[in-house]
Amino acid sequence: MAEPQKFPDLDALAVQLRQQIEDRNKKVTLIFAHNGTGKTRLSMAFKELGKQRDAEGQVTARDTLYFNAFTEDLFSWDNDLEHDRARVLRMNTDSAFFGGLAELEMENRIRPMLRRYCDFDFQIDYDEGVISFFRDLRARKEDGTFETVRHDNIKISRGEENVFIWSFFLAVAQLAIDGQEAYDWVRYFYIDDPISSLDENNAIAVAANLARMLKEQDRLKVVISSHHTLFFNVLCNELNKPQRYFLSCDGEHWQLRDTGNTPRFYHVAMLKELHDAAQSGQLLTYHFTILRSIMEKTATFHGFNHFGDVMKRDPGDEDGTLHFRYVQLLSHGNYSLFEPAEMMEENKRIFRSILDDFMNNYRFNPALFPADEAAEDVA
């Protein structure tokens, strides 16, 4: 992998990200980052750069249609607490996200996307700016036959709500792709973690359907950031050579590492980062947390119930048992990505031993992890 680019803040990173997208003329850019690293804040910084303002500070133009946690906040529940009958989802119609929807028959655009994942239906009242939900269920009659009964004004689950808002966004995104007049200002999509409440099967479906939509258009540039391993990997495989980055923070700078074509999977990128840190001696306390996360995913992949099972070969492996206790203890410390502390020398030695043992037991491409003779002296 290339050396990471370092930035003092996310605003500077957003400026460089826009520049690289244009210079490389990449249709899709993928960013993997852990939660808390700044994905959502980066999406907002990117969006703000696309705004133009007048002398009074009012926005006169913009170029980014985004999906992130703030998009979900454009919808809020009115639960009709007084009568408990008319539960509706309210839209913040002051947002440019909802511009010109009444004339666009949005129900017919949203339903095909929503039905990929959910079995409920909905109606939009554009005058009131509210959405009501209903579900048709089969009910057995007294004579043993069945009839369809509509349940109106239902309160859908949080996961179903997220899927509905995602389907709403996809319908709006398709309008922008088609160059529809109400969304002809859109030049970029910025999509941040759209699948926080989906199970693994739906994560695959969402990624595959999103990739299909993006591959079929050439009008817009797209940035997608995620902490979800499976979602990220499906996009990597489905899209045609997207630009790929790994976003991290060392406490002083945000780092954007261009991963190129390899390693494709984020856990390999993380393992490379741990390997490089161990080689250089710059081991920080939270590196134990990252190592534990990689081991947990490895254990799951190999069918084990606990990450300790990938560390010890047999019940008599005292060293493996001791290493398991070290990882369990040191990965639970109150270690912040934004206030990193260097490990004590003894813990560095233990970390290297655990990491070496893990990498020897589970073979990775050695070309990604070259030995550093200087590290021999550090150890």
Side-chain angles (χ1 to χ4, degrees), residues 169-212:
F169 171 81
L170 288 179
V172 172
Q174 188 61 60
L175 291 171
I177 288 171
D178 295 340
Q180 202 282 332
E181 183 178 358
Y183 296 95
D184 62 0
W185 52 269
V186 179
R187 295 293 176 267
Y188 295 95
F189 290 156
Y190 201 120
I191 301 170
D192 175 53
D193 267 342
I195 57 157
S196 56
S197 298
L198 296 185
D199 59 29
E200 299 292 90
N201 289 333
N202 277 335
I204 295 172
V206 167
N209 291 331
L210 176 59
R212 189 176 304 114

Side-chain angles (χ1 to χ4, degrees), residues 284-290 326-344 347:
L284 305 176
T285 47
Y286 66 79
H287 283 139
F288 264 110
T289 304
I290 296 173
Y326 268 114
V327 174
Q328 191 173 43
L329 175 65
L330 294 173
S331 63
H332 277 144
N334 187 23
Y335 303 140
S336 170
L337 286 169
F338 301 97
E339 296 179 359
E342 190 169 352
M343 289 184 196
M344 295 185 296
N347 287 347

Side-chain angles (χ1 to χ4, degrees), residues 106-141:
M106 289 303 294
E107 291 94 336
N108 293 333
R109 299 175 185 274
I110 297 169
R111 280 195 183 98
M113 300 175 183
L114 181 65
R115 285 172 179 164
R116 296 169 179 165
Y117 316 108
C118 299
D119 64 351
F120 60 84
D121 208 336
F122 66 97
Q123 292 177 324
I124 301 177
D125 184 329
Y126 295 100
D127 292 332
E128 295 296 324
V130 299
I131 305 163
S132 57
F133 299 92
F134 61 90
R135 181 179 273 115
D136 292 332
L137 298 174
R138 294 183 70 203
R140 185 188 292 272
K141 298 193 295 186

Side-chain angles (χ1 to χ4, degrees), residues 275-281 352 370-379:
H275 171 80
D276 291 347
Q279 295 275 305
S280 69
R352 290 192 189 93
D372 185 349
E373 294 182 3
E376 303 289 337
D377 299 329
V378 174

Side-chain angles (χ1 to χ4, degrees), residues 264-275:
R264 174 169 295 177
F265 297 102
Y266 101 94
H267 67 275
V268 181
M270 290 304 301
L271 196 58
K272 172 105 170 81
E273 183 165 306
L274 294 184
H275 171 80

